[in-house]
Amino acid sequence: MANLNIGIILGSTRVGRNSPQVGEWVKGIAEERGDANYEIVDIADFKLPLFGETDASEQLAAWTGKLAQLDGFVFIVQEYNHSITGALKNALDSARDEWNNKAAGIVSYGSAGGARAAEHLRGILGELQVADVRVHPLLSLFTDFENGSVFKPADLHKANVNAMLDQVLAWSGALKTLRTGTVAPL
Ligand SMILES: Cc1cc2nc3c(=O)[nH]c(=O)nc-3n(C[C@H](O)[C@H](O)[C@H](O)COP(=O)(O)O)c2cc1C
């Protein structure tokens, strides 16, 4: 079977954001495994307008085209006002079929590890028919970042990232059989 394609989605878009540091760290751990194709997918690159506000067919086609290439996702989630960012919610809303019958893991950060945002994301993923895995590395703004901005993850998180990726790959591979017609879709 061909390698699975896994997108590491950066959930924040603000100037000065921490998400690229976290995403590159996850990608580095993932690439050491050599078991799938891993790429950073930066929502900011797609310049998505607020869903439905303008025609924006070009941006939407680029976004849904990218998602269609992917078999699974790792969401890099940061907590904004106890939830996910508006940018990530908008990006989730801006596609539908391209999310369906795929798997996802979550790596979150915030003062409480981004736990509240991650739990909100799980509810949204259910509606989009994305199977979110159990293992969920949580990073603390206090102990895994210096001054809340320089990412210095504690060593213990690496094993958790690998365990999360094990689950994402298993479910991404299984769900690919639904999308390719080996098993009848729901
Ligand atoms: C608008 C806003 C709201 C925030 N609300 C929370 C919050 O409710 N809980 C929390 O733990 N951190 C909160 N934070 C802190 C962010 O989690 C922290 O700044 C994090 O680095 C943001 O991710 P980013 O750097 O990738 O944008 C908030 C930050 C911003 C900008």
Side-chain angles (χ1 to χ4, degrees):
M1 193 161 101
N3 265 358
L4 294 167
N5 297 318
I6 307 296
I8 299 168
I9 299 183
L10 305 184
S12 59
T13 56
R14 74 178 176 92
V15 173
R17 63 201 165 138
N18 287 328
S19 54
Q21 297 179 73
V22 180
E24 289 296 343
W25 171 73
V26 170
K27 185 166 181 260
I29 296 170
E31 285 182 340
E32 277 177 18
R33 301 161 58 95
D35 54 0
N37 304 322
Y38 296 97
E39 64 177 291
I40 299 278
V41 177
D42 189 350
I43 291 171
D45 289 341
F46 293 84
K47 306 277 181 255
L48 292 168
L50 274 185
F51 178 69
E53 212 171 52
T54 62
D55 171 26
S57 45
E58 211 175 298
Q59 292 97 315
L60 284 174
W63 177 238
T64 56
K66 171 50 66 186
L67 295 180
Q69 293 167 2
L70 300 170
D71 300 303
F73 315 100
V74 175
F75 288 95
I76 307 299
V77 172
Q78 42 298 121
E79 187 163 307
Y80 278 26
N81 295 319
H82 287 204
S83 191
I84 60 172
T85 65
L88 178 56
K89 181 62 165 63
N90 187 52
L92 289 159
D93 292 343
S94 296
R96 192 184 54 176
D97 296 355
E98 295 79 9
W99 294 115
N100 293 173
N101 294 319
K102 296 179 181 177
I106 297 172
V107 176
S108 65
Y109 54 95
S111 59
R116 294 164 293 219
E119 291 302 311
H120 281 184
L121 177 59
R122 287 186 188 277
I124 297 163
L125 294 179
E127 179 59 17
L128 290 170
Q129 296 190 73
V130 177
D132 49 309
V133 305
R134 184 185 72 81
V135 178
H136 164 200
L138 295 104
L139 304 161
S140 165
L141 276 180
F142 302 119
T143 55
D144 294 306
F145 292 82
E146 261 176 28
N147 303 319
S149 60
V150 180
F151 187 43
K152 301 227 168 135
D155 292 342
L156 61 94
H157 296 303
K158 187 175 173 183
N160 250 356
V161 170
N162 272 311
M164 177 272 294
L165 290 171
D166 288 344
Q167 296 187 339
V168 169
L169 289 192
W171 280 10
S172 296
L175 287 167
K176 191 171 181 180
T177 63
L178 278 187
R179 302 196 314 281
T180 54
T182 318
V183 177
L186 297 171

